[in-house]
């Protein structure tokens, strides 16, 4: 996935390092104040970011952590494991990193989301598909949307248990509504297909 990078200036107009959106997302996960490993960050992203943005792979998480440490936005240390496994590296946000992600959240330009709806692209090519195949594609999309809605609902419930996660819980509630609307739009499209077929008989 290609991501745009954007340098943002601080109050003194000094240029901050340009980061891809995933870098800001990883830094944002650390902004809640916990010291986390790359594994922990991946798990957190699966529980929250995935529902409204996307969940980076382990390699992307570790790549961003290296970038963030290089520019001074996070620091790390090795922690001995009780199980005898190799030491674990954990990361914490620095004051400079907190200032940078706060500035990004406040000042970054508001960019409209880019809709790339693969299911609709396939239905747009419906003249190349059989009717049953179109319904199957929509049915699978409906199942996916409902499963994501349920997941967002469960993740929002867990987030509400942590006071520091008040705003992530609100975003997860938005995600729950978004996937519910995707599910309902798939149902509406299936109805539209039925009406189209009846009108052509």
């Amino acid at each position: 996935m290609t991501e745009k990078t954007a340098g943002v200036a601080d109050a003194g107009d000094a240029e901050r390092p340009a980061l891809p959106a995933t870098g800001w997302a990883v830094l944002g996960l650390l902004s809640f104040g916990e010291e986390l490993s790359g594994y922990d960050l991946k798990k957190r992203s699966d529980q929250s970011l995935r529902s409204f943005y996307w969940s980076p792979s382990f390699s992307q998480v570790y790549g961003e952590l290296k970038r963030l440490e290089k520019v001074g936005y996070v620091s790390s240390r090795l922690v001995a494991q009780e199980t005898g496994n190799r030491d674990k590296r954990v990361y914490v946000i620095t004051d400079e990193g907190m200032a940078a992600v706060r500035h990004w959240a406040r000042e970054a330009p508001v960019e409209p989301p880019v809709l790339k709806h693969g299911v609709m692209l396939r239905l747009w090519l419906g003249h190349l598909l059989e009717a049953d195949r179109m319904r199957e594609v929509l049915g699978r999309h409906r199942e996916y949307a409902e499963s994501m809605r349920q997941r967002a609902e469960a993740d929002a419930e867990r987030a509400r248990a942590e006071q520091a996660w008040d705003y992530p819980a609100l975003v997860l509630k938005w995600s729950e509504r978004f996937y519910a609307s995707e599910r309902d739009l798939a149902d509406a499209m299936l109805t539209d297909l039925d009406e189209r077929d009846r009108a052509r008989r």
Side-chain angles (χ1 to χ4, degrees):
M1 177 177 290
T2 302
E3 297 181 86
K4 295 179 182 177
T5 59
V8 292
D10 63 17
D13 289 334
E15 282 296 315
R16 286 200 168 103
L19 294 178
T22 300
W24 294 116
V26 170
L27 196 59
L29 287 168
L30 288 167
S31 73
F32 292 94
E34 292 183 74
E35 191 176 45
L36 300 170
S37 67
Y39 175 84
D40 295 329
L41 286 162
K42 170 61 176 167
K43 186 176 177 182
R44 293 287 177 89
S45 70
D46 286 345
Q47 292 172 343
S48 60
L49 293 178
R50 175 181 175 168
S51 294
F52 61 90
Y53 184 62
W54 70 298
S55 183
S57 65
F58 278 108
S59 62
Q60 288 169 316
V61 169
Y62 285 110
E64 290 306 325
L65 286 170
K66 287 180 182 177
R67 186 203 311 264
L68 293 168
E69 189 165 28
K70 185 176 181 180
V71 300
Y73 287 174
V74 304
S75 62
S76 70
R77 66 187 180 95
L78 288 174
V79 177
Q81 300 275 59
E82 295 179 3
T83 59
N85 293 334
R86 65 179 184 161
D87 293 347
K88 176 173 70 171
R89 184 169 295 279
V90 292
Y91 297 82
V92 67
I93 194 168
T94 63
D95 290 342
E96 186 179 357
M98 186 69 82
V101 72
R102 179 180 286 116
H103 186 275
W104 180 83
R106 288 175 173 170
E107 305 296 337
V110 177
E111 297 180 353
V114 177
L115 181 61
K116 294 182 178 179
H117 207 302
V119 173
M120 289 304 103
L121 180 59
R122 290 176 70 176
L123 294 190
W124 183 70
L125 295 170
H127 61 288
L128 305 176
L129 301 175
E130 298 80 14
D132 288 347
R133 181 58 180 151
M134 283 192 285
R135 286 181 177 80
E136 182 184 348
V137 168
L138 276 168
R140 288 186 181 179
H141 177 60
R142 188 200 184 284
E143 290 173 6
Y144 166 78
E146 176 58 16
S147 69
M148 288 297 290
R149 185 202 65 76
Q150 292 174 6
R151 180 171 182 160
E153 181 182 31
D155 289 342
E157 191 64 34
R158 281 193 292 271
R160 279 192 288 271
E162 298 286 337
Q163 187 174 358
W165 282 69
D166 282 350
Y167 289 106
L170 288 176
V171 175
L172 287 164
K173 184 68 177 174
W174 174 89
S175 299
E176 182 186 343
R177 293 170 179 149
F178 172 83
Y179 286 109
S181 69
E182 278 289 300
R183 176 201 61 202
D184 295 344
L185 285 168
D187 286 337
M189 180 65 84
L190 286 165
T191 299
D192 291 344
L193 285 173
D194 289 342
E195 291 176 355
R196 174 193 171 278
D197 290 347
R198 282 195 296 270
R200 295 200 170 193
R201 284 178 190 155

